[in-house]
Structures are given as structure tokens and as C-alpha cells.
Amino acid sequence: MQLAALARHTLSRGATLAATYALLARLGHKPVPCAQAVCLALDIPPAETTRRLAECDALLTDPRPNAESDTGEVLEALGVFDVPKPLTLTERTVVAHFLTAMDAMGGIRPGHQHGLQRWFTTGNLTAAYLSLAATTPLPRTGDPTTYWTTLVTAGELLTATPNPDPRIRYALTHCRRRAGEPAARAQR
């Protein structure tokens, strides 16, 4: 596909994903093929590309005139152009723990959930862990014990990987302290 080759070339010249989409759209191509071309240039599998673009149907079906840059930025922010990283067994286990912790939060803001899902897709588990460690379960609907103990387990797995980010150790210490708080209260 020539459009994908142009997208690949544009990206190789240092253009952002949004700018690459905008360039293709400004050349007179329809929005969906432009977005597909950027995904193909990133080697995102066709089935995954189709699924992601189906979620953006309203944005791509009726584009605003002269809004190519805005559309590209929205597509990028939505994660349409996120390159999936194959996860190891340990990383998949960490993500499973994150999902358990998210359930134990008792509710999660859509933007936070979206960001976490993007980090899972791209394999940025450090960012996901730090984000969850900085969050507190909701007092009425959350399950703090499950939340913090699950994050302790996830943090232990992350620190056991080669060259873990030092921030994970600090976050793990925080999660351990929070996991111990309910037990300390029960003993009083």
C-alpha cells in the first residue's frame, strides 16, 4: 500500500504519529485509510487496526474541515497508534494483578482506566504500577486489603525483573505499608 509507505517514510523523518496522519489527510486521502496507513507503518496487525478504528468511527466518518491535525492528535491520545508489546508470562501475571487491583478500587475514572489500558498494551508496566500505587481505593465501595496486597504481589514481581526501575521499590514500600495498615488497626 503506497499510503503506508508514505506514512513509514514520514515517521522515519521524525514526524509524530498525529502529524503523519494529518499529512496523509491533507493530501486528500479519506480519514480511515490515513489512520490505517499509520497503523500499518507501525506494524500494528490488521485485525487490531480494524478493531481500534471501529471504536473511532464517529470521529473518522464525518471529519471536520481543516481539522486533520486535531483528528490525528485525538487518534494518538485514544491509543489508536499504540504499538502492542508482546508480554512475557511474568508481565501478563503482573497485568492480571493490576486488573484485580482495579476491581478492588471500587470504581475507577474512565481517563485513568484508559491510561492504564494503554500502558498494558505498550508494556509500560512501571507507569501503570506507579499510577496504581499513587491511587487509593474508594472508601465505601473499594476493598483496600485486596487492593494493597495485590499491588504488593505485582510490585514484587516487577522488582524481580532485570534492572527494575528504582521508583518501583519506593512504590512497593508504600504498598507494603498500606497493606499492613488494616492488620494494624484490627489488633488495636
Side-chain angles (χ1 to χ4, degrees):
M1 174 181 226
Q2 290 180 338
L3 212 49
L6 179 57
R8 195 171 285 112
H9 174 73
T10 305
L11 290 168
S12 74
R13 306 278 303 191
T16 66
L17 298 165
T20 301
Y21 168 86
L23 171 73
L24 299 176
R26 282 192 197 104
L27 291 174
H29 301 285
K30 297 208 177 285
V32 172
C34 292
Q36 287 172 329
V38 175
C39 289
L40 286 172
L42 297 168
D43 295 324
I44 296 172
E48 178 65 12
T49 296
T50 301
R51 185 192 67 73
R52 291 179 187 191
L53 294 180
E55 294 174 358
C56 302
D57 191 48
L59 176 66
L60 297 172
T61 302
D62 190 23
R64 290 187 355 243
N66 301 316
E68 296 87 357
S69 293
D70 293 342
T71 301
E73 289 176 15
V74 169
L75 291 170
E76 188 172 355
L78 290 173
V80 170
F81 304 135
D82 286 351
V83 177
K85 177 191 177 275
L87 301 178
T88 66
L89 177 60
T90 299
E91 290 169 330
R92 289 193 305 271
T93 303
V94 168
V95 169
H97 286 299
F98 289 165
L99 294 172
T100 300
M102 289 166 63
D103 286 342
M105 285 175 81
I108 186 169
R109 293 182 332 264
H112 190 196
Q113 183 172 0
H114 175 72
L116 289 166
Q117 290 298 331
R118 288 188 70 190
W119 289 325
F120 299 163
T121 299
T122 59
N124 191 348
L125 302 186
T126 296
Y129 185 71
L130 296 175
S131 177
L132 288 168
T135 305
T136 303
L138 296 174
R140 292 189 181 154
T141 57
D143 180 352
T145 302
T146 300
Y147 184 77
W148 295 113
T149 56
T150 302
L151 287 181
V152 166
T153 304
E156 289 169 347
L157 288 170
L158 287 171
T159 58
T161 61
N163 303 316
D165 187 312
R167 297 174 299 168
I168 293 174
R169 293 189 196 286
Y170 294 112
L172 176 57
T173 300
H174 168 74
C175 292
R176 283 182 175 140
R177 187 171 49 253
R178 295 301 303 261
E181 286 178 3
R185 277 192 222 123
Q187 293 174 351
R188 290 183 197 158

